[in-house]
Amino acid sequence: MTVHPGEGPRIVVGVDGSESSKQALRWALRHAEVTGGVLETVTAWEYPQLYGSLGWMPPLSEEEVDFERIARHVLLDAVKEVAGPEPSVEMRTTVAFGPPTSVLLEASKGASLLVLGSRGHGGFTEALLGSVGQHCTHHGTCPVVIVRGVPENP
């Protein structure tokens, strides 16, 4: 367990706004409460795959193209929903440009724990583990916890 001077363990949790990531955030929050840890919530943003690739694009408002602002809004909404207006632990937020796997692995360097939901907003909802979780469990430099959600139809 990596503990930084003057603070408890740093726990990184990936949040993309999905229910699975909110469940991971709930788990990480409880773990931080028990261990006296600092919780760092992380989200990644990228330009959409085909954004600008067609050459001319219809004009969009500034709000529609501010993907970083949108990602920050999604992250802060999820944190507020799960932790409330006054979280019980020290919390930090990170919004970074890049593929989720790269952003999460970079953010978790030196952390005590990386916590992820089992499914994000990816395409194969029947899969037990999403591609981001799978990549992070294989390449993480700290322990990785994958939080499985409660099945929607038990």
Side-chain angles (χ1 to χ4, degrees):
M1 179 184 292
T2 304
V3 178
H4 303 280
E7 59 186 49
R10 185 169 65 93
I11 301 156
V12 175
V13 59
V15 180
D16 65 2
S18 67
E19 283 306 311
S20 182
S21 74
K22 290 176 190 176
Q23 290 172 346
L25 178 55
R26 283 182 193 91
W27 188 96
L29 179 62
R30 285 192 302 271
H31 186 73
E33 289 170 345
V34 169
T35 62
V38 174
L39 189 58
E40 183 176 346
T41 59
V42 177
T43 196
W45 69 275
E46 294 181 285
Y47 291 103
Q49 197 168 20
L50 297 176
Y51 184 76
S53 66
L54 303 175
W56 179 86
M57 296 209 34
L60 299 172
S61 74
E62 189 173 307
E63 279 190 14
E64 290 176 308
V65 295
D66 191 351
F67 299 110
E68 181 177 9
R69 183 193 60 75
I70 293 167
R72 183 174 310 283
H73 182 73
V74 167
L75 174 62
L76 294 177
D77 280 354
V79 168
K80 186 176 180 181
E81 179 183 329
V82 171
E86 295 184 29
S88 56
V89 300
E90 181 182 345
M91 293 185 78
R92 302 172 185 159
T93 58
T94 299
V95 177
F97 174 77
T101 53
S102 298
V103 168
L104 290 166
L105 291 174
E106 183 63 31
S108 66
K109 285 182 180 175
S112 299
L113 198 60
L114 173 60
V115 183
L116 303 170
S118 60
R119 298 281 333 129
H121 284 299
F124 299 107
T125 56
E126 295 82 22
L128 295 176
L129 180 62
S131 60
V132 171
Q134 188 170 16
H135 188 87
C136 289
T137 57
H138 286 275
H139 300 284
T141 58
C142 68
V144 179
V145 172
I146 304 294
V147 178
R148 296 267 336 255
V150 178
E152 291 181 25
N153 299 318

